[in-house]
Amino acid sequence: MSTTNKVQVRVGSLEDMGKRFAGAWNRAVAGEQVSETHVTFLDVQTMLDALSPRRLDLLRHVRQHGAGNVRELSQALKRDYKNVHQDVAMLEAAGLLQRDGRKLTAPWDELQASVSLMAAS
């Protein structure tokens, strides 16, 4: 049975991020296998901007086909190089796209997004 490589995309606070990190750290110290990835945005609008339809298409393309560099990716997507470069930079900064030299990878099979409706504590 294969496992799905997921990244949890959330809207939350710096405190939320710290609690998740501390919990994972404590589980690892206790000897538990910890293999989880989280990306946290501080507000909903930033998350929605980051995960725009064009950026999700870009992530899907890179996940399925890879990309040797940004120019190759912009040509494959039939999009302007400058816009693709900006999208790549944003997705890379968020941790959703990875770079090895010039080669781009999106190692995630699935993005799971959640927004808490609870008040920040």
Side-chain angles (χ1 to χ4, degrees):
M1 183 162 125
S2 67
T3 59
T4 302
N5 192 9
K6 299 179 213 175
V7 61
Q8 298 287 324
V9 179
R10 301 172 184 262
V11 173
S13 67
L14 294 173
E15 183 180 352
D16 295 333
M17 290 188 298
K19 286 179 182 177
R20 276 194 302 281
F21 177 82
W25 180 274
N26 290 334
R27 291 191 314 273
V29 167
E32 184 180 328
Q33 177 76 18
V34 178
S35 178
E36 55 190 53
T37 303
H38 299 270
V39 173
T40 302
F41 293 96
L42 298 179
D43 60 75
V44 172
Q45 191 59 55
T46 303
M47 181 181 78
L48 294 173
D49 291 344
L51 300 176
S52 70
R54 286 196 169 232
R55 288 182 177 160
L56 288 172
D57 287 343
L58 186 153
L59 284 171
R60 278 187 201 97
H61 181 86
V62 173
R63 176 65 181 118
Q64 294 170 11
H65 307 286
N69 57 53
V70 175
R71 182 158 311 283
E72 177 185 302
L73 180 58
S74 68
Q75 290 170 346
L77 295 172
K78 296 179 175 58
R79 291 185 50 208
D80 178 70
Y81 173 85
K82 180 181 173 187
N83 293 334
V84 171
H85 186 273
Q86 289 173 341
D87 288 350
V88 165
M90 192 271 122
L91 292 168
E92 192 175 5
L96 296 172
L97 198 58
Q98 296 178 357
R99 187 186 298 261
D100 182 13
R102 292 172 50 156
K103 182 180 177 185
L104 300 168
T105 60
W108 321 110
D109 299 321
E110 184 178 314
L111 302 180
Q112 292 184 338
S114 65
V115 178
S116 175
L117 298 178
M118 301 299 293
S121 51

